[in-house]
């Protein structure tokens, strides 16, 4: 089943769900930047294609290489056989799983199907603090024996401390610096209906409690009235956040943009990007924003500091709106002494990440 040098190798990536998010975006980029000698497929354990494409229109360009298994809640042993059959039908040479659920199903199915190369990437390790997750991950890694990758040094350190027999290598997340680049700020603001004569802070993240939007809104209340906030994304916390905005009398300064298709243009509209997360792996959005020329203020959680330009960016403690407001105020009034884009281009370009994974594809385990 292993490809020869003259054949195209088949890589199958397995995720829990193909909905807008950092892990899913990385998978799409790995598919898009695959070399001419590779066919990359995307398997979503949950959901149906029509449902996911309606939620994330970007997926429509990947028609033909996406496979949705519509997994119901709970443990589904039969899914192993279904996945193994899919891997065999695709003549997979490499199975690449992302996060613990896909490792359990995709990893075990890959072993059943005798796939020669199995890679697993952990994108955060906070869940290993839960005893049941730690036990499951430890057993999966010991039984399935994938080539283990962490997307940040701090994620690798957490894995080693929680699961001593696991020894991950680090391949940092990267973004496409040719797509994410500076542009016309005034035109970008007009396209989103944002004021051209005010300072704009922006955040791009799912509206989940862990992303800390509530802390960012509290920080906005502490900032002067000429500072506006643009929020890209949707999620279960959206209605709650809209109520918080009304309660804080910020309705004329906070702009809910929903899902944004043209993310480079969103970042080009900003003066400062802010991510107030309470937990992270290694986030992509600060890299994307900085590649577009925006400075970043982010909370010091997970691998966030590894996504921050050390010269122009500011780290703040999580769950502290006063410290966040102080950092944002400082960032807005300070002249940049360097270009945050330079950091991203040198250390976090997608092409370096893809090359590192390509090397793993040829290592049978």
């Amino acid at each position: 089943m292993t490809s020869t040098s003259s054949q195209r190798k088949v890589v199958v990536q397995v995720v829990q769900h193909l909905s807008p998010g950092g892990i899913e975006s990385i998978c799409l980029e790995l598919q898009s930047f695959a070399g001419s000698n590779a066919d990359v497929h995307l398997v979503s354990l949950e959901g149906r294609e029509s449902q996911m494409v309606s939620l994330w229109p970007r997926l429509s360009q990947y028609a033909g290489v996406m496979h949705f298994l519509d997994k119901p809640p709970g443990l589904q042993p039969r899914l192993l056989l279904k996945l193994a059959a899919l891997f065999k039908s695709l003549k997979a040479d490499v199975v690449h799983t992302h996060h613990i659920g896909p490792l359990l199903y995709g990893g075990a199915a890959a072993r059943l199907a005798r796939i020669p190369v199995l890679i697993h990437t952990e994108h955060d390790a906070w869940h290993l603090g839960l005893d049941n997750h730690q036990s499951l991950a430890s057993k999966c890694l010991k039984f399935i024996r994938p080539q283990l990758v962490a997307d940040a040094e701090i994620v690798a350190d957490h894995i080693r401390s929680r699961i001593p027999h696991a020894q991950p290598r680090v391949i940092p997340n990267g973004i496409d610096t040719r797509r994410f680049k500076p542009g016309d700020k005034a035109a970008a603001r007009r396209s989103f209906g944002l004021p051209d004569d005010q300072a704009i802070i922006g955040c791009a993240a799912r509206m989940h409690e862990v992303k800390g939007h509530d802390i960012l809104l509290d920080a906005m209340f502490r900032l002067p009235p000429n500072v506006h906030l643009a929020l890209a994304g949707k999620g279960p916390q959206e209605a709650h956040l809209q109520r918080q905005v009304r309660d804080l009398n910020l309705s004329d300064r906070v702009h809910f943009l929903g899902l944004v298709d043209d993310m480079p243009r969103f970042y080009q509209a900003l003066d400062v990007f802010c991510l107030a997360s309470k937990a992270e792996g290694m986030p992509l959005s600060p890299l994307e924003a900085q590649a577009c020329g925006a400075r970043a203020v982010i909370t010091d959680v997970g691998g966030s500091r590894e996504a921050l330009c050390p010269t122009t960016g500011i780290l703040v403690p999580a769950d502290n709106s006063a410290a966040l407001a102080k950092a944002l105020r400082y960032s807005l009034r300070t002249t940049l002494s360097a270009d945050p884009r330079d950091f991203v281009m040198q250390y976090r370009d997608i092409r370096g990440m893809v090359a590192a994974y390509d090397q793993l594809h040829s290592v049978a385990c």
Side-chain angles (χ1 to χ4, degrees), residues 90-102:
L90 294 173
K91 296 181 169 57
D93 302 293
V94 180
V95 167
H96 185 175
T97 61
H98 301 264
H99 211 42
I100 189 168

Side-chain angles (χ1 to χ4, degrees), residues 288-360:
E288 295 169 347
Q290 291 171 110
C292 292
R295 65 196 80 185
V297 174
I298 59 180
T299 46
D300 191 8
V301 294
S304 290
R305 64 171 55 228
E306 296 174 51
L308 189 69
C309 171
T311 304
T312 64
I314 301 176
L315 281 171
V316 296
D319 276 321
N320 189 328
S321 62
L324 185 61
K326 181 179 179 181
L328 288 168
R329 190 180 296 110
Y330 177 84
S331 187
L332 284 168
R333 72 179 183 220
T334 303
T335 302
L336 282 176
S337 59
D339 187 346
R341 177 173 170 80
D342 293 341
F343 162 78
V344 183
M345 291 184 67
Q346 183 173 356
Y347 299 107
R348 298 292 183 262
D349 186 87
I350 186 73
R351 292 153 191 85
M353 183 187 77
V354 170
Y357 277 114
D358 279 346
Q359 287 186 335
L360 294 188

Side-chain angles (χ1 to χ4, degrees), residues 25-238:
S25 294
I26 283 289
C27 292
L28 297 188
E29 295 287 45
L30 286 171
Q31 200 283 336
S32 298
F33 281 86
S36 58
N37 67 332
D39 293 322
V40 180
H41 292 257
L42 305 164
V43 173
S44 176
L45 298 183
E46 297 177 1
R48 299 182 302 276
E49 183 167 351
S50 59
Q51 171 194 24
M52 292 297 103
V53 171
S54 67
L55 291 173
W56 198 8
R58 180 186 176 188
L59 293 179
S60 60
Q61 64 186 286
Y62 298 92
V65 297
M66 297 186 298
H67 310 268
F68 292 84
L69 302 184
D70 199 18
K71 174 187 173 298
L75 193 62
Q76 302 293 328
R78 290 179 180 271
L79 193 62
L80 296 178
L81 298 178
K82 189 174 181 179
L83 262 175
L86 176 60
F87 295 158
K88 288 180 179 179
S89 70
L90 294 173
K91 296 181 169 57
D93 302 293
V94 180
V95 167
H96 185 175
T97 61
H98 301 264
H99 211 42
I100 189 168
L103 172 62
L104 172 62
Y105 288 101
R111 289 302 180 213
L112 285 174
R114 299 188 177 183
I115 306 303
V117 178
L118 176 57
I119 300 168
H120 174 66
T121 299
E122 271 298 338
H123 297 267
D124 60 57
W126 61 266
H127 66 97
L128 296 180
L130 305 172
D131 289 342
N132 58 334
H133 278 222
Q134 181 178 331
S135 175
L136 177 60
S138 179
K139 290 174 182 175
C140 284
L141 292 172
K142 188 173 289 187
F143 171 73
I144 297 169
R145 305 183 315 282
Q147 297 181 72
L148 179 60
V149 175
D151 69 355
E153 292 288 351
I154 194 167
V155 173
D157 289 343
H158 285 171
I159 293 171
R160 295 184 192 109
S161 67
R162 298 285 184 176
I163 308 175
H165 67 79
Q167 293 300 316
R169 70 190 75 198
V170 177
I171 299 179
N173 287 341
I175 58 105
D176 182 5
T177 57
R178 296 178 189 173
R179 177 180 174 224
F180 292 96
K181 58 187 178 182
D184 186 327
K185 181 178 290 188
R189 290 185 174 188
R190 285 195 298 272
S191 70
F192 292 110
L194 299 173
D196 191 38
D197 58 347
Q198 307 292 312
I200 304 288
I201 297 168
C203 175
R206 286 177 179 168
M207 291 183 177
H208 287 248
E209 193 273 338
V210 73
K211 294 300 182 180
H213 289 87
D214 56 333
I215 304 300
L216 177 53
L217 292 176
D218 283 342
M220 276 293 298
F221 181 73
R222 301 168 184 265
L223 295 176
N226 69 320
V227 179
H228 286 233
L229 175 64
L231 298 175
K234 296 183 73 67
Q237 288 287 306
E238 184 172 3

